[in-house]
Amino acid sequence: MAIVMKRPHALRDVPTTFCPGCTHGIIHRMIAECLDELDIEGKTIGISPVGCTYGNYEFFNCDMVQAAHGRAPAVATGVKRVNPDNVVFAYQGDGDLAAIGMAEIVHAATRGENITVIFANNTVYGMTSGQMAPTTILGQVTQTTPFGRKPEFHGFPIRVCELLSTLDGATFVERVSTHNIKNIINAKKAIKKAFKVQLAKKGFSIVEVLSTCPTNWGLNPSESLKRIEEELLPVFPLGNFKGKDLEV
Amino acid sequence: MGEKMLMKGNEAIAEAAIRAGCRFYFGYPITPQSEISHYMARKMPEVNGTFIQAESEVAAINMVYGAASAGARVLTTSSSPGISLKQEGLSYIAGAELPAVIVNIVRSGPGLGGILPAQGDYFQAVKGGGHGDYKMVVLAPASVQEAYELTVEAFNIADRYRIASMIMGDGTLGQMMEVVEFRDEEDNKVYEKPWAATGTKLLRDHNVITSIYIDPVTLEKHNLNLQAKYKKISENETRVEVYNCDDADIIVAAYGTVARIVKNVIKTAEKEGIKVGLIRPVSLWPFPEKAFQKYADVPKAFLTVEMSAGQMVEDVRLSLNGRNEVHFYGRMGGMIPAQSEILDKIREILREAK
């Protein structure tokens, strides 16, 4: 009998802490599959953020460093500069990366730090029970925008990939999604390429992954996937913003 | 005899770090510690080291957190307002038990304050400026030579105990030039760091560097371990200079720049027949309470002199625990106490004590 599907070696045999229907688990699996396929688990150090994925140091088999809220790119910089032959990735959410950590991500990118950032954008603060994020779309109801996000009070959502792609130091910038199989396959390809960019010492790579939060969106899992397609894609268009033709 | 060089205090600190094997420096510009950054920017490339001018003090201390996680000797330097920004990182470094060295060339506050010398950051440094129950080793040099030696020692202490060590000086120490004699046999000890995040090579279980423990039983145990470590550091790493105290009429407590002024006061006072002793805490934490207790009953009174509104004086009082009078004289805002002011205060105290 042939094994057609198994847990990636880079993923530990522990239960995840995510809610049913949340796509963080899928993103973690894709990262782990890339570590396996590129055979880099043994030299990889992951940086855990603050938010729903704060505890992902328990999920990955590689060495892990837990960072303060928003500081993962600075911590990743320190780790990578000490051992440049290690592979260093940071996993960040939208509040972590685009609000409190905006300075750290912009400057890690503009320095061209040879690290990979996996940025899960689900347009809401999940861990703290559903407040407005910098990526919350107009009209979206959250605990701190109970009447919907209104530009006159709350301003506009930030498009991280578009912003970072203006920086010369950013080498590979791509936005992908988890709302169906086709897009998950594309997402995995982008994550793998981001790691390859790092392995080729080409500089800063980031993959923004549109992700669900059924709990804080007040939707069931399938409605949540539909919301990505119908409401988020018009605001956060998928595609490569930088490094599309880079051969690695 | 080691090699000798005329250097600024700031430069001596930078040179000491390099000689101690530090190859990673992360900083953000602020007066009056700029010479350290400049020195590192020039010297790090010569020794295959890394110098990064970070986007903020917050980023710099988190780069320190990352480099320390990877097992490197790492330094960041700043001055008071920048050190305030680093407090978040210092608390995480304490929680994750990472070795790192931080230099605070203190300026006067609060707020943006001024750039002239002060000692108003004592509470922040020794009582824990960040959140949670934690300690940092805080060393306060009083000369350029001592700045050099204590910086080397700060790296050794940090590695030995997996703790942050702070060198606390001020603009006077940072800017003044004195001869430094480097030690021939540099104290460049190599500590094994099997806990560091360097990659498993698929040969061991993964290492995790973290300060979060969601389970309260585990977190309390972690805290108890930290406290046990701090107790051990108190027992082993307390540093103090006791000068002229054996039959002193009055004992002055002062550290850093102020202690040097007091040494001159001692000479002047002697001519008037007043015997002044000095207890100079070199480690501000752990505080040398035993030195104070040993001499508690010797003088007619104690006097603490600081460039603050009175911060270390609280630890002097706690150490003496009511066994003798503790007076205070302080200047603030970048004003340095003159010898004559201190001597006047000594005369006044002794007059009233008779």
Side-chain angles (χ1 to χ4, degrees):
Chain A
M1 222 167 33
I3 295 171
V4 293
M5 188 77 175
K6 63 171 186 173
R7 177 185 295 279
H9 186 271
L11 215 50
R12 289 168 88 81
D13 188 9
V14 293
T16 68
T17 46
F18 306 125
C19 303
C22 166
T23 48
H24 271 314
I26 294 173
I27 303 170
H28 280 71
R29 186 183 168 100
M30 290 191 289
I31 294 170
E33 285 177 359
C34 290
L35 299 187
D36 277 17
E37 289 165 22
L38 297 168
D39 195 19
I40 53 173
E41 181 197 313
K43 61 171 179 177
T44 296
I45 290 102
I47 315 296
S48 307
V50 169
C52 288
T53 51
Y54 82 83
N56 67 7
Y57 51 80
E58 291 294 353
F59 306 156
F60 292 111
N61 242 333
C62 57
D63 281 354
M64 297 294 294
V65 180
Q66 207 286 325
H69 201 24
R71 317 300 177 216
V75 173
T77 298
V79 172
K80 182 74 178 184
R81 292 293 184 117
V82 172
N83 294 310
D85 289 331
N86 280 346
V87 173
V88 178
F89 77 91
Y91 192 109
Q92 296 190 267
D94 40 66
D96 192 77
L97 181 141
I100 195 165
M102 189 51 113
E104 284 78 6
I105 192 70
V106 166
H107 286 272
T110 204
R111 280 194 306 269
E113 288 296 337
N114 193 32
I115 59 171
T116 300
V117 177
I118 308 301
F119 166 41
N121 176 6
N122 61 11
T123 73
V124 75
Y125 282 77
M127 180 79 165
T128 47
S129 69
Q131 296 83 7
M132 179 184 73
T135 51
T136 293
I137 64 172
L138 295 182
Q140 184 177 338
V141 172
T142 71
Q143 295 286 0
T144 49
T145 53
F147 311 107
R149 183 173 192 166
K150 295 184 169 136
E152 61 271 35
F153 295 129
H154 314 111
F156 298 87
I158 292 175
R159 293 184 185 90
V160 169
C161 283
E162 287 82 340
L163 190 149
L164 293 181
S165 62
T166 66
L167 302 171
D168 292 342
T171 303
F172 182 77
V173 181
E174 188 158 322
R175 183 182 292 121
V176 295
S177 178
T178 50
H179 67 279
N180 58 31
I181 304 296
K182 179 175 168 253
N183 277 282
I184 288 171
I185 291 168
N186 281 341
K188 163 89 179 287
K189 277 185 196 155
I191 291 170
K192 199 165 176 180
K193 180 155 181 186
F195 276 115
K196 282 180 167 176
V197 167
Q198 182 178 168
L199 285 165
K201 299 193 190 292
K202 296 285 186 192
F204 182 85
S205 54
I206 182 167
V207 179
E208 174 176 346
V209 189
L210 298 183
S211 185
T212 59
C213 184
T215 303
N216 289 301
W217 292 358
L219 300 174
N220 69 34
S222 59
E223 288 167 347
S224 296
L225 297 172
K226 217 162 148 194
R227 179 182 181 246
I228 292 185
E229 183 159 23
E230 291 174 358
E231 296 183 27
L232 300 193
L233 293 191
V235 184
F236 301 109
L238 304 184
N240 181 280
F241 295 85
K242 232 174 164 189
K244 189 168 193 275
D245 300 324
L246 189 71
E247 299 274 340
V248 283
Chain B
M1 289 290 279
E3 184 191 346
K4 282 183 180 177
M5 200 178 277
L6 185 66
M7 298 181 104
K8 284 187 177 188
N10 281 338
E11 293 168 339
I13 288 168
E15 181 61 29
I18 289 171
R19 286 178 181 247
C22 170
R23 291 293 176 273
F24 298 89
Y25 175 90
F26 307 100
Y28 184 86
I30 186 168
T31 309
Q33 60 81 53
S34 300
E35 290 84 0
I36 305 179
S37 297
H38 302 169
Y39 198 91
M40 286 304 197
R42 286 196 311 271
K43 293 282 178 159
M44 275 303 187
E46 291 177 14
V47 292
N48 276 330
T50 294
F51 168 91
I52 293 185
Q53 180 171 327
E55 60 271 29
S56 69
E57 303 292 3
V58 175
I61 193 71
N62 281 285
M63 290 172 189
V64 167
Y65 180 99
S69 295
R73 284 198 156 179
V74 55
L75 174 72
T76 186
T77 64
S78 190
S79 178
S80 309
I83 295 292
S84 292
L85 281 167
K86 289 186 195 293
Q87 294 303 321
E88 173 198 59
L90 291 176
S91 175
Y92 278 72
I93 283 168
E97 295 193 81
L98 293 171
V101 176
I102 296 95
V103 175
N104 184 2
I105 302 299
V106 181
R107 52 192 259 183
S108 45
L112 207 44
I115 61 169
L116 292 176
Q119 295 181 325
D121 295 1
Y122 178 92
F123 283 153
Q124 187 194 50
V126 307
K127 308 292 179 187
H131 57 282
D133 283 304
Y134 79 92
K135 289 288 181 192
M136 268 187 316
V137 173
V138 184
L139 304 173
S143 69
V144 176
Q145 179 70 34
E146 200 178 33
Y148 168 81
E149 284 168 10
L150 289 179
T151 302
V152 174
E153 201 44 34
F155 280 99
N156 290 332
I157 292 171
D159 277 353
R160 209 176 300 143
Y161 299 97
R162 292 182 62 178
I163 193 169
S165 312
M166 175 178 274
I167 298 291
M168 202 154 94
D170 59 41
T172 308
L173 181 82
Q175 301 295 327
M176 73 184 178
M177 294 185 88
E178 287 183 321
V179 171
V180 183
E181 183 181 349
F182 305 128
R183 279 179 274 176
D184 285 335
E185 66 329 321
E186 271 331 318
D187 231 343
N188 188 1
K189 291 178 188 143
V190 177
Y191 290 78
E192 292 296 318
K193 297 179 180 178
W195 47 265
T198 52
T200 65
K201 298 177 180 65
L202 305 180
L203 296 174
R204 57 161 169 78
D205 193 14
H206 72 170
N207 283 340
V208 173
I209 308 287
T210 187
S211 66
I212 187 166
Y213 299 90
I214 286 288
D215 169 45
V217 174
T218 312
L219 182 51
E220 188 182 48
K221 194 167 165 256
H222 173 57
N223 268 281
L224 289 170
N225 288 341
L226 289 179
Q227 293 304 318
K229 176 168 86 174
Y230 300 151
K231 189 167 177 279
K232 201 170 147 197
I233 294 171
S234 298
E235 285 161 8
N236 297 340
E237 304 298 342
T238 303
R239 287 163 168 77
V240 63
E241 182 191 1
V242 176
Y243 180 73
N244 220 29
C245 284
D246 285 337
D247 51 354
D249 299 317
I250 185 167
I251 291 178
V252 178
Y255 70 94
T257 302
V258 178
R260 288 177 69 129
I261 301 168
V262 172
K263 278 201 177 165
N264 287 329
V265 171
I266 290 172
K267 285 181 209 152
T268 320
E270 224 163 47
K271 289 174 196 156
E272 295 181 22
I274 305 171
K275 191 130 194 274
V276 179
L278 169 68
I279 296 180
R280 176 173 74 93
V282 175
S283 58
L284 302 183
W285 191 87
F287 193 74
E289 49 190 35
K290 289 203 178 88
F292 286 94
Q293 285 154 7
K294 185 179 173 190
Y295 293 97
D297 304 321
V298 172
K300 296 188 179 78
F302 282 78
L303 166 66
T304 305
V305 185
E306 297 176 56
M307 292 190 288
S308 80
Q311 299 195 14
M312 184 180 77
V313 64
E314 292 192 2
D315 284 332
V316 174
R317 288 199 176 110
L318 282 169
S319 300
L320 291 171
N321 201 16
R323 287 172 64 187
N324 207 327
E325 287 284 314
V326 179
H327 299 265
F328 175 74
Y329 183 74
R331 299 292 303 266
M332 288 175 285
M335 298 298 287
I336 299 172
Q339 291 179 46
S340 58
E341 295 167 28
I342 298 170
L343 191 54
D344 282 349
K345 185 72 186 176
I346 288 171
R347 289 194 197 104
E348 180 195 313
I349 292 165
L350 290 177
R351 223 171 17 243
E352 283 168 15
K354 273 171 190 169

